[in-house]
Amino acid sequence: MHETEFLEFCTKSRYDVSALSLFERGVTFAKRYLSGKKRLAGDSYFDHNVRVAKLLAESRASPEIIAAGLLHGVLKECLSSEVEREFGKEIAQLVLEQNNVQELKFKNKELEAEALRKLILTTLRDVRVVIVKLANKVDNLRTIEVLPSEEQQRIAHETLEIYAPLAYRLGVENIKSQLEDLAFKIINPRKYQEIMNYIEESREEREKDIDTVITEITSVLQGKIDVVKIKGRPKTMYSIYRKITERGFKLDEMHDLLGIRVIVPEVKDCYIVLGLLHETYEPLEGKLKDYIAYPKPNFYRSLHTAVHMKKGKIVEVQIRTPEMDEFAEEGIAAHWRYKGLKSDDFFEKKIAWLRNVLDLQKDSNEFLESAKIDVFGDKIYCYTPKGEMKELPLGATILDFAYVVHEEIGNTAVGGRVNGKFVPLKHELQKGDVVEIVTNKSQQPRRNWIKFVKSARARQKIRKYLKEHEKLAPLYFRVIKPNVVEDVGVLVESVSFPRAVCALAQCCQALPGEKIVGLVTKRRVISVHKEDCRAAQKEMERWVSVQWKDSFGQKIQFYVEGQERSG
């Protein structure tokens, strides 16, 4: 990208005169030191920095963040004092701290944990550093084809596991979506292209459906409430893929699921719109989410619902104010544009969740495992009897909830009531549960508690108590899988290699009906994986065709997963 295009974009984006002057000086400074430095992709580091800065401007980041994006990497060519003299102490510090989160080559778990630790520690000082890092990651993914295939896969998986969730937690939706789509394209190019083709083929029909829905909702609200805007909500490639895999949708069924966003002037108007929609259309059970009363951990606020429209269409509706919409699109990247707010105050109040990650043992493996669960893993949201929302990792138990409320509550917990029903400490919580903890003063943490809690906080508090009171090394629990010595058959065969033994891979454990591929290994054994298995994606050149058998005459080994329910 030429610097003129970047500066023109910033002008159109209504950055003020002082910001535009800062950008021009940043472009000149970066060009002086980086235009002659070439990247593996063949372009210069200067070109790369300009693209990073434009991506930050698209997210409506503050001028200081955009300047840091323009200048990151210059300290390899000049002194920090020179940057400070030209741009001031604040921007110089942002550029300096970029060096503290330079990408490490992850060779093992310890190095990966250390890289993650550096990223989070730097974020604790100034979250703006990580926003620049995330934009930098987007542009690197766009030119990743120059790297070996195996390295591309590693970086793409790392992006989905760490960087995209971190962008979500910081509320930078524009950057998050691009990280996910770019990584998905690398990991599963065939599925990406399949979705891309479908979107292009169905674009006209989908746009027509959205226009019809907008017209219909407008007529429902007209004369009853002021509406700033109603617009279609675009779906990303990766979000469509997740709906297909996690919710069981088929790609040709996706046209029945439309996304609409209703923008209204005030918070009270959001609830009025919700009431009018539910009066007119049949709402889908379990789809109502009030993120205005109970914001997400990244401080996203909105009302969500889904309704049945005419002709069987299901429409997902988000209702919010202009301020909520701006924050949802831009996140905290845009925070420092607003007057009267100091970054330190904002950070202390709104990024407190990040501090909890560092309240861990020094062991690198434990740090990595816990950080990925607590910061980057899937979440559920449960409530206290007073309506206070608590965030927990997926699969969390009553005991995890107790430790989220307070350490002493966790230490003395004996059970709980979920939606009014008494349950044991091991009970797994579901999203939306109302939880009350039952305690007993004589209760104390037990070593086997570590076996079933899911959150890093709960494990850390249990181990802390055991060390202080028992003076014994706490139990580190790891599931040991028994060896199977008896030969068993599988329901898979390969027409191309009829004499080869097909064995289901343990990494993904494919089930009949799922799409599968085979990997040829030594001694005429074909390892059978799910098509989207991470291990299989790394070895696409070794794929062979396999299929599920229609019948079998051998003993087989299978697993059954069940969930307890009343009745």
Side-chain angles (χ1 to χ4, degrees):
M1 171 187 289
H2 197 273
E3 60 265 30
T4 304
E5 183 183 344
F6 160 69
L7 293 171
E8 288 176 352
F9 178 83
C10 292
T11 302
K12 292 177 181 177
S13 299
R14 298 183 180 179
Y15 281 93
D16 60 29
V17 175
S18 61
L20 295 174
S21 173
L22 173 64
F23 301 156
E24 289 174 357
R25 288 187 286 122
V27 165
T28 302
F29 193 92
K31 191 172 187 178
R32 184 192 316 161
Y33 290 105
L34 299 177
S35 60
K37 302 283 292 183
K38 296 295 182 182
R39 302 166 72 231
L40 287 176
D43 59 342
S44 71
Y45 278 94
F46 170 69
D47 294 328
H48 164 71
N49 282 19
V50 172
R51 292 193 299 268
V52 169
K54 184 174 185 288
L55 181 58
L56 291 167
E58 289 171 351
S59 298
R60 291 294 295 155
S62 69
E64 293 78 17
I65 296 177
I66 296 173
L70 278 170
L71 298 171
H72 79 275
V74 297
L75 294 185
K76 295 179 181 179
E77 311 299 326
C78 68
L79 298 174
S80 60
S81 58
E82 191 174 348
V83 177
E84 183 173 346
R85 185 168 57 251
E86 181 69 26
F87 299 97
K89 187 174 182 179
E90 182 180 11
I91 292 175
Q93 187 64 28
L94 287 174
V95 176
L96 178 62
E97 290 190 0
Q98 284 299 318
N99 292 342
N100 296 330
V101 279
Q102 289 296 317
E103 283 189 283
L104 298 178
K105 300 297 182 182
F106 297 162
K107 298 298 184 183
N108 52 51
K109 287 286 186 181
E110 287 73 23
L111 282 179
E112 188 174 356
E114 184 58 29
L116 190 55
R117 192 192 305 270
K118 281 189 176 183
L119 183 65
I120 294 173
L121 283 171
T122 304
T123 301
L124 284 174
R125 288 192 290 271
D126 197 328
V127 72
R128 294 175 291 179
V129 175
V130 172
I131 295 172
V132 178
K133 171 68 174 177
L134 294 172
N136 184 47
K137 176 65 71 174
V138 169
D139 193 67
N140 285 336
L141 285 170
R142 288 171 176 167
T143 55
I144 200 173
E145 67 276 359
V146 298
L147 297 178
S149 177
E150 184 176 338
E151 185 71 358
Q152 291 184 38
Q153 290 290 322
R154 182 193 67 76
I155 293 172
H157 282 289
E158 168 191 289
T159 298
L160 287 182
E161 291 175 359
I162 295 177
Y163 292 102
L166 186 53
Y168 163 76
R169 297 301 293 260
L170 295 178
V172 195
E173 180 65 25
N174 177 40
I175 292 177
K176 167 190 164 285
S177 299
Q178 294 188 60
L179 286 170
E180 288 179 337
D181 281 357
L182 289 166
F184 172 48
K185 184 178 181 180
I186 296 163
I187 293 170
N188 199 334
R190 291 195 298 181
K191 184 62 71 174
Y192 179 93
Q193 193 59 48
E194 181 183 343
I195 295 172
M196 171 70 83
N197 292 341
Y198 170 79
I199 288 176
E200 290 301 322
E201 292 168 3
S202 63
R203 183 183 303 279
E204 185 176 341
E205 178 187 356
R206 192 172 63 256
E207 289 177 352
K208 182 180 178 181
D209 287 340
I210 289 176
D211 289 341
T212 301
V213 169
I214 290 175
T215 301
E216 193 172 331
I217 290 180
T218 300
S219 67
V220 170
L221 303 179
Q222 194 168 18
K224 301 172 184 175
I225 191 77
D226 289 334
V227 176
V228 175
K229 189 174 185 180
I230 301 178
K231 57 185 178 180
R233 179 166 55 88
K235 296 183 182 297
T236 65
M237 300 289 190
Y238 189 64
S239 69
I240 293 173
Y241 174 72
R242 290 191 65 174
K243 276 189 169 66
I244 293 171
T245 55
E246 294 177 7
R247 302 189 190 179
F249 285 108
K250 293 180 180 178
L251 192 53
D252 58 4
E253 295 173 344
M254 291 299 291
H255 69 277
D256 289 332
L257 195 63
L258 304 173
I260 297 294
R261 191 168 290 155
V262 181
I263 313 297
V264 290
E266 299 181 34
V267 171
K268 64 180 178 61
D269 299 331
C270 296
Y271 292 95
I272 294 173
V273 169
L274 178 68
L276 291 171
L277 291 177
H278 282 195
E279 284 178 8
T280 309
Y281 307 106
E282 179 189 354
L284 268 69
E285 185 178 352
K287 290 294 185 180
L288 175 59
K289 301 287 188 300
D290 188 349
Y291 295 121
I292 295 178
Y294 302 103
K296 289 185 178 183
N298 62 0
F299 305 97
Y300 169 90
R301 300 172 70 215
S302 184
L303 287 180
H304 288 196
T305 189
V307 294
H308 287 283
M309 303 286 286
K310 296 176 181 178
K311 299 181 181 179
K313 298 289 183 186
I314 296 173
V315 179
E316 293 179 338
V317 185
Q318 297 175 348
I319 311 165
R320 56 178 69 148
T321 66
E323 293 76 17
M324 294 175 194
D325 191 52
E326 182 179 30
F327 190 90
E329 296 294 329
E330 302 165 7
I332 61 174
H335 158 72
W336 288 276
R337 295 203 312 273
Y338 304 111
K339 296 180 180 180
L341 292 173
K342 294 183 178 179
S343 60
D344 290 345
D345 295 338
F346 179 83
F347 184 76
E348 289 295 331
K349 292 177 181 178
K350 297 199 171 185
I351 313 296
W353 57 268
L354 210 45
R355 293 191 180 279
N356 293 333
V357 182
L358 298 178
D359 191 17
L360 302 169
Q361 305 295 334
K362 294 182 179 179
D363 179 74
S364 291
N365 288 328
E366 181 189 345
F367 174 86
L368 181 67
E369 174 194 358
S370 301
K372 281 187 175 178
I373 291 174
D374 271 15
V375 181
F376 308 114
D378 291 331
K379 303 293 180 182
I380 61 172
Y381 304 98
C382 299
Y383 301 87
T384 68
K386 293 183 178 180
E388 184 181 354
M389 185 176 69
K390 302 293 183 183
E391 180 194 57
L392 297 156
L394 188 66
T397 64
I398 286 289
L399 190 55
D400 289 292
F401 187 94
Y403 277 107
V404 167
V405 174
H406 193 276
E407 180 179 356
E408 189 59 30
I409 299 294
N411 288 344
T412 57
V414 294
R417 291 187 182 88
V418 175
N419 305 323
K421 180 182 176 181
F422 186 82
V423 294
L425 292 176
K426 293 181 180 180
H427 176 82
E428 185 174 319
L429 297 171
Q430 305 298 320
K431 62 181 179 181
D433 282 345
V434 177
V435 184
E436 180 183 357
I437 303 299
V438 179
T439 61
N440 188 314
K441 291 183 179 180
S442 62
Q443 175 71 296
Q444 61 184 13
R446 303 176 185 181
R447 294 166 64 82
N448 69 336
W449 283 6
I450 299 174
K451 295 180 181 180
F452 61 82
V453 294
K454 298 296 183 183
S455 66
R457 177 181 176 83
R459 282 196 299 274
Q460 192 268 338
K461 296 302 181 184
I462 295 167
R463 287 172 178 153
K464 174 186 172 184
Y465 183 93
L466 294 175
K467 286 180 179 180
E468 290 178 353
H469 293 81
E470 295 187 9
K471 296 185 178 179
L472 295 172
L475 175 66
Y476 285 80
F477 176 73
R478 182 176 296 172
V479 176
I480 305 298
K481 293 183 179 179
N483 290 325
V484 179
V485 295
E486 184 179 6
D487 289 336
V488 293
V490 293
L491 299 177
V492 180
E493 61 185 354
S494 172
V495 176
S496 303
F497 300 92
R499 296 185 179 182
V501 176
C502 295
L504 294 178
Q506 293 298 309
C507 56
C508 56
Q509 294 186 346
L511 296 174
E514 294 180 327
K515 293 183 179 180
I516 52 175
V517 296
L519 293 181
V520 178
T521 63
K522 297 179 180 178
R523 300 179 183 177
R524 296 194 302 186
V525 174
I526 296 176
S527 178
V528 180
H529 299 255
K530 293 181 183 179
E531 189 180 86
D532 58 357
C533 172
R534 178 173 176 175
Q537 291 291 330
K538 293 180 179 179
E539 304 285 348
M540 293 180 68
E541 67 278 0
R542 291 171 49 205
W543 283 13
V544 296
S545 176
V546 292
Q547 50 277 325
W548 295 104
K549 294 180 181 178
D550 294 327
S551 60
F552 62 99
Q554 278 183 289
K555 181 189 297 183
I556 64 168
Q557 178 178 325
F558 61 92
Y559 301 89
V560 177
E561 250 184 42
Q563 291 185 339
E564 183 180 359
R565 63 178 177 83
S566 60

